[in-house]
């Protein structure tokens, strides 16, 4: 069976914080008479699925199957987000919390430069999160791989429970972490911090030798199978027991890095679900990341572009 065929039958369960990315595009030709700020005349708007929703969207765009579990508000933004995902072919398991607003990131751009970002967000309630944990146990049965995408918005309050449940079921768990407290991710198969996120947890380093020492120490401390540090223009480095694999960046032109981390973990998870080993899966995720950073905004790589 070809890799494309294996990818088509691969099933990934994505759990985490979702958001609606809204873009307002316009032109700036004057300064406001009310305050020393530019006036943007909006001529185009766009909406895209962000956060864990972008991870799921990447998986489907690459030809795989994705189910997404998350918490959203009972509001217009939540409806828009679900509509976008269903249109993209993502199976959604959204729990609606009437007491919160769906997370929205509104970006105002002029001549492809971001002028302003406005965020709307709330933390979900405990009862909704507990209900989501029940659905996680059921959804796990059909999944080959689990991806936990943490954006610090509260959907992964029970992340340690999810890791232990998935581990007991023999399912690999990949985590895109947030913040500087990684104990909650103990026991995961793989963590994928970027360079600045890793520095928050491990401190600074001088040279690759010291980086490897810090990475292997954290991997052992958290009982991880592997740790993948994405290093922007320096590529990405995988740390396993007694092994370090480095891949230089494959981006021909870096236009916008937003969402690149989503593409990396989505491709990794999908390729592992298709039966590849970690270094091979890392090769494909590096290629996919090189594709999306050449695009504007929260973007995805397609199967045609990758293969």
């Amino acid at each position: 069976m070809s890799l494309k065929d294996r990818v088509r039958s691969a099933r990934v369960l994505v759990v985490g914080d979702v958001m609606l990315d809204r873009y307002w595009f316009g032109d700036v030709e004057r300064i406001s008479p009310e305050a020393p700020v530019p006036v943007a005349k909006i001529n185009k708007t766009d909406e895209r699925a962000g956060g864990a929703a972008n991870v799921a969207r990447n998986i489907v765009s690459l030809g795989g199957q994705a189910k997404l579990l998350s918490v959203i508000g009972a509001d217009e933004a939540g409806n828009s987000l679900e509509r976008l995902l269903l249109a993209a072919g993502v199976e959604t398991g959204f729990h609606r919390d009437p007491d919160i607003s769906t997370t929205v990131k509104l970006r105002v751009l002029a001549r492809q430069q971001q002028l302003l970002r406005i965020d709307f967000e709330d933390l979900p309630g405990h009862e909704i999160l507990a209900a989501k944990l029940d659905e996680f146990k059921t959804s796990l049965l059909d999944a080959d791989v689990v991806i936990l995408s943490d954006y610090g918005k509260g959907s992964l309050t029970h992340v340690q429970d999810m890791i232990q449940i998935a581990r007991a079921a023999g399912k690999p768990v990949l985590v895109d972490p947030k913040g500087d407290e990684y104990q909650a991710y103990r026991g995961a198969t793989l963590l994928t911090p970027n360079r600045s996120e890793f520095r928050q947890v491990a401190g600074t380093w001088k040279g690759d030798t010291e980086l490897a020492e810090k990475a292997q120490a954290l991997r052992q401390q958290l009982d991880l199978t592997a740790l993948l540090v994405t290093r922007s223009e320096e590529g990405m480095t995988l740390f396993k027991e007694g092994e370090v694999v480095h891949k230089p960046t494959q981006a021909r032109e870096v236009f916008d890095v937003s969402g690149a981390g989503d593409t990396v973990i989505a491709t990794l998870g999908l390729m592992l679900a298709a039966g590849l080993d970690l270094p091979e899966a890392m090769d494909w995720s590096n290629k996919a990341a090189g594709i999306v950073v050449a695009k504007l905004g929260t973007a995805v790589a397609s199967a045609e572009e990758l293969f």
Side-chain angles (χ1 to χ4, degrees):
M1 192 187 291
S2 71
L3 178 57
K4 267 190 176 181
D5 289 334
R6 283 187 282 160
V7 163
R8 273 194 284 269
S9 61
R11 297 164 301 180
V12 182
L13 175 61
V14 182
V15 189
D17 300 304
V18 296
M19 55 200 72
L20 182 65
D21 286 326
R22 283 191 159 138
Y23 296 87
W24 290 2
F25 300 94
D27 296 313
V28 172
E29 294 174 352
R30 63 193 178 97
I31 300 299
S32 170
E34 302 162 3
V37 294
V39 175
K41 184 175 181 294
I42 304 302
N43 50 43
K44 189 177 84 168
T45 63
D46 192 15
E47 291 185 334
R48 299 179 193 176
N54 190 43
V55 175
R57 205 166 64 104
N58 267 277
I59 290 164
V60 171
S61 178
L62 292 171
Q65 301 171 47
K67 178 171 182 178
L68 174 64
L69 292 186
S70 191
V71 179
I72 59 174
D75 54 13
E76 172 272 333
N79 295 338
S80 293
L81 183 57
E82 187 157 34
R83 191 166 57 246
L84 282 172
L85 288 163
L86 292 173
V90 175
E91 182 185 350
T92 58
F94 282 159
H95 293 251
R96 291 181 180 264
D97 187 339
D99 297 325
I100 69 167
S101 297
T102 300
T103 298
V104 175
K105 291 184 179 181
L106 170 61
R107 298 169 175 90
V108 182
L109 299 97
R111 294 180 185 173
Q112 299 180 331
Q113 295 295 316
Q114 195 172 142
L115 298 179
L116 177 69
R117 194 179 98 182
I118 305 167
D119 289 4
F120 306 84
E121 60 188 56
D122 296 299
L123 294 175
H126 181 75
E127 299 78 11
I128 298 285
L129 292 171
K132 183 164 69 75
L133 190 58
D134 289 336
E135 187 175 355
F136 174 78
K137 294 172 185 173
T138 310
S139 302
L140 194 61
L141 301 172
D142 294 326
D144 299 309
V145 168
V146 177
I147 293 177
L148 304 178
S149 181
D150 196 348
Y151 273 81
K153 311 299 182 192
S155 288
L156 287 177
T157 298
H158 299 298
V159 64
Q160 183 52 219
D161 294 330
M162 291 177 180
I163 290 170
Q164 294 307 325
I165 292 165
R167 195 168 178 170
K171 312 283 184 176
V173 185
L174 281 56
V175 182
D176 191 355
K178 195 72 175 175
D180 57 5
E181 182 44 70
Y182 280 16
Q183 283 300 325
Y185 309 126
R186 171 179 288 280
T189 307
L190 175 77
L191 251 61
T192 62
N194 62 33
R195 185 170 50 192
S196 61
E197 287 167 341
F198 182 70
R199 190 180 287 119
Q200 260 188 293
V201 176
T204 57
W205 60 86
K206 291 178 181 173
D208 287 349
T209 303
E210 192 177 354
L211 169 62
E213 288 169 359
K214 286 178 177 288
Q216 294 289 19
L218 183 65
R219 187 188 62 76
Q220 290 167 3
Q221 179 192 336
L222 296 178
D223 189 25
L224 308 172
T225 302
L227 181 72
L228 177 71
V229 181
T230 56
R231 302 167 62 186
S232 194
E233 74 282 352
E234 294 175 356
M236 54 179 73
T237 311
L238 179 73
F239 301 94
K240 295 174 67 184
E241 178 78 51
E243 184 183 6
V244 177
V245 181
H246 180 75
K247 304 287 181 185
T249 182
Q250 294 208 6
R252 288 175 293 281
E253 179 186 9
V254 177
F255 192 73
D256 189 341
V257 297
S258 58
D262 298 334
T263 300
V264 167
I265 198 166
T267 312
L268 266 177
L270 181 59
M271 293 303 171
L272 289 176
L276 300 189
D277 63 17
L278 261 175
E280 286 178 300
M282 180 184 164
D283 255 338
W284 287 104
S285 65
N286 197 23
K287 287 176 188 173
I291 292 165
V292 299
V293 296
K295 301 179 181 184
L296 176 65
T298 312
V300 296
S302 69
E304 289 73 22
E305 289 170 315
L306 187 64
F307 294 112

